[in-house]
């Protein structure tokens, strides 16, 4: 184990491993402390009902099925999601059911409807939460913002969380590549005395990388901040700002796109993923290094107040309020499509499509 990294201090500790994360020691779970065989043993009498076949539903349910767990899927019939489940090999009446039927059959309910959908379906799900079952979330949203969602589970069930830190698409893709997406886990309510084991076993079952403990509150606050911030919102915003500036100063679309997006995704971000930011810097020109080392402080200072505002709004429930309102709108999907189309059809992302088409691996297509 010590071979993983010479800088990592490892002490075995029941089901967790102590890892030094830059000077702060945390307990995490890997497949060494909690192997697949242990997860299979822990869940051998369970039927895991995955409710919802959107983005996370397919990734988590297919990984669990492939790893030998008893899994069924619950999904509204007559929808694209139902057809997708059938195409993925789920058998109507055997492993694929309407939501109510799956909820009745499951002993662990993996609640993977959209967060707004969880609020809407909750009154129908609640009667199926009988003594000893577990209700498993992939987000702290419904529980933490219960004043907005009205999701209050009965005291007789375990309430647990396994939150993959990545898209459901990556949950599946990485699993198929033999890798995994890291996930956090938490126990909100331990009715059976086995909630923690059930949570970790579910985390291993869905094919997680390492699992780190959290609380429902910390999961939802960090997740809502991250996706609005660096992972998605800030990423798009800062790219648009630089692209627009370069275009306004007379640079061509291909030059502006290459200097803003293509070089980042094709060259630099993979280097950061491999060995960290300093290593990426070390592999750039001395000119680039000098400028980047100076300007990162200016950019950090410029956005610090925006992050403060974001975290405050998340904690106050303003962001979840917006999500529940927008995503409960009957025209949600059309409205979303309009917004995404606007992005897709912008000059910057049209330039991106042209640039992607010119990647050598796409020349023959
Ligand atoms: N997306 C991710 O990669 C990701 C990552 C980490 C955590 N999470 C969390 O995982 C959970 C699931 O997220 P997701 O992104 O997979 O959800 P999603 O793709 O938005 O979920 C869509 C699913 O919810 C169903 N649904 C929506 N409204 C419904 C309603 N009123 N009644 C019944 N079914 C309804 C949809 O069914 P129809 O097709 O019938 O509409 C579909 O099965 C959420 O808590 C989310 O925060 C997601």
């Amino acid at each position: 184990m010590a071979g993983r990294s010479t800088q990592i201090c490892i002490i075995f500790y029941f089901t967790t491993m102590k890892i030094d994360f830059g000077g702060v020691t945390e307990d995490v779970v890997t497949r060494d402390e909690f192997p697949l065989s242990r997860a299979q043993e822990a869940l051998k009498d369970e039927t895991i009902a995955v409710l919802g076949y959107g983005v996370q539903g397919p990734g988590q349910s297919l990984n669990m099925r492939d790893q030998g767990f008893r899994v069924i899927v619950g999904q509204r019939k007559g929808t694209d999601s139902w057809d997708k489940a059938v195409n993925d090999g789920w058998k109507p009446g055997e492993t694929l059911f309407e939501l109510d039927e799956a909820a009745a059959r499951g002993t662990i309910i993996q609640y993977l409807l959209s967060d707004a959908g969880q609020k809407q379906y909750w009154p129908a799900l609640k009667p199926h939460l009988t003594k000893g079952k577990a209700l498993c979330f992939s987000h702290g949203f419904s529980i933490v913002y219960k004043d907005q969602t009205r999701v209050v589970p009965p005291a007789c069930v375990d309430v647990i969380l396994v939150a993959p830190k990545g898209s459901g698409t990556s949950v599946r893709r990485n699993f198929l590549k033999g890798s995994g997406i890291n996930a956090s886990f938490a126990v909100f309510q331990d009715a059976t005395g086995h909630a923690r084991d059930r949570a970790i076993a579910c985390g291993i079952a869905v094919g997680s990388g390492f699992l780190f403990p959290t609380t429902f509150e910390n999961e939802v606050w960090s997740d809502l901040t991250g996706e609005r911030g660096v992972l998605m919102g800030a990423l798009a915003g800062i790219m648009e700002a630089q692209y627009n500036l370069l275009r306004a100063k007379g640079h061509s679309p291909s030059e502006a796109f290459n200097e803003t997006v293509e070089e980042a995704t094709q060259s630099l971000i993979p280097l950061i993923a491999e060995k960290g930011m300093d290593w990426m810097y070390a592999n750039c020109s001395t000119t680039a290094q000098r400028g980047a080392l100076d300007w990162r402080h200016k950019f950090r200072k410029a956005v610090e107040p925006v992050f403060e505002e974001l975290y405050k709004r998340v904690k106050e429930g303003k962001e979840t309020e917006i999500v529940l309102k927008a995503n409960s709108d009957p025209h949600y999907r059309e409205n979303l499509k309009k917004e995404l189309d606007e992005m897709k059809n912008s000059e910057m992302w049209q330039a991106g499509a042209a640039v992607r088409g010119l990647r050598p691996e796409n020349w023959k297509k």
Side-chain angles (χ1 to χ4, degrees), residues 37 47 95 151 158 174 203 207 211 228-229 231 259 262 264 329 342:
S37 56
T47 297
T95 53
V151 172
D158 291 342
N174 284 24
L211 288 152
R228 279 152 185 73
L231 303 177
E259 289 295 353
E262 193 72 352
D329 188 307
E342 189 192 320

Side-chain angles (χ1 to χ4, degrees), residues 137-323:
F137 292 89
S138 281
H139 203 3
F141 192 125
S142 289
I143 292 288
V144 173
Y145 295 96
K146 64 177 188 308
D147 292 347
Q148 293 172 21
T149 64
R150 309 274 173 238
V151 172
V152 181
C156 61
V157 298
D158 291 342
V159 181
I160 57 180
L161 171 135
V162 173
K165 298 291 118 190
S167 161
T169 304
S170 320
V171 166
R172 184 62 179 158
R173 280 187 188 168
N174 284 24
F175 173 82
L176 291 174
K177 278 193 301 193
S179 176
I181 291 289
N182 301 329
S184 56
F185 72 95
V187 173
F188 177 74
Q189 185 169 291
D190 186 0
T192 64
H194 301 293
R196 188 172 181 278
D197 251 32
R198 274 172 137 180
I200 295 174
C202 285
I204 299 293
V206 302
S208 304
F210 79 86
L211 288 152
F212 61 94
T214 187
T215 60
F216 275 61
E217 284 86 357
N218 280 345
E219 194 285 332
V220 72
W221 295 336
S222 58
D223 196 75
L224 293 176
T225 301
E227 65 205 10
R228 279 152 185 73
V230 169
L231 303 177
M232 295 171 68
L235 181 68
I238 203 166
M239 284 176 166
E240 286 164 15
Q242 178 171 303
Y243 180 91
N244 291 344
L245 170 93
L246 292 174
R247 288 289 290 130
K249 301 293 180 194
H251 298 265
S252 66
S254 48
E255 186 161 66
F257 192 84
N258 271 288
E259 289 295 353
T260 303
V261 180
E262 193 72 352
E263 184 170 342
T265 60
Q266 298 304 293
S267 165
L268 304 183
I269 289 174
L271 294 181
I272 302 169
E274 201 179 322
K275 288 194 186 172
M277 189 69 83
D278 61 305
W279 194 72
M280 182 272 269
Y281 276 29
N283 283 281
C284 291
S285 72
T286 50
T287 308
Q289 284 160 9
R290 185 65 268 137
L293 284 164
D294 293 342
W295 277 86
R296 86 186 162 107
H297 301 297
K298 290 195 169 76
F299 278 108
R300 191 183 59 247
K301 282 185 191 136
V303 297
E304 271 166 0
V306 184
F307 278 106
E308 282 291 344
E309 181 196 348
L310 168 57
Y311 195 81
K312 185 166 176 282
R313 285 181 56 86
V314 164
K315 270 193 94 165
E316 287 171 351
K318 296 211 167 85
E319 293 300 310
T320 45
E321 224 172 77
I322 292 172
V323 170

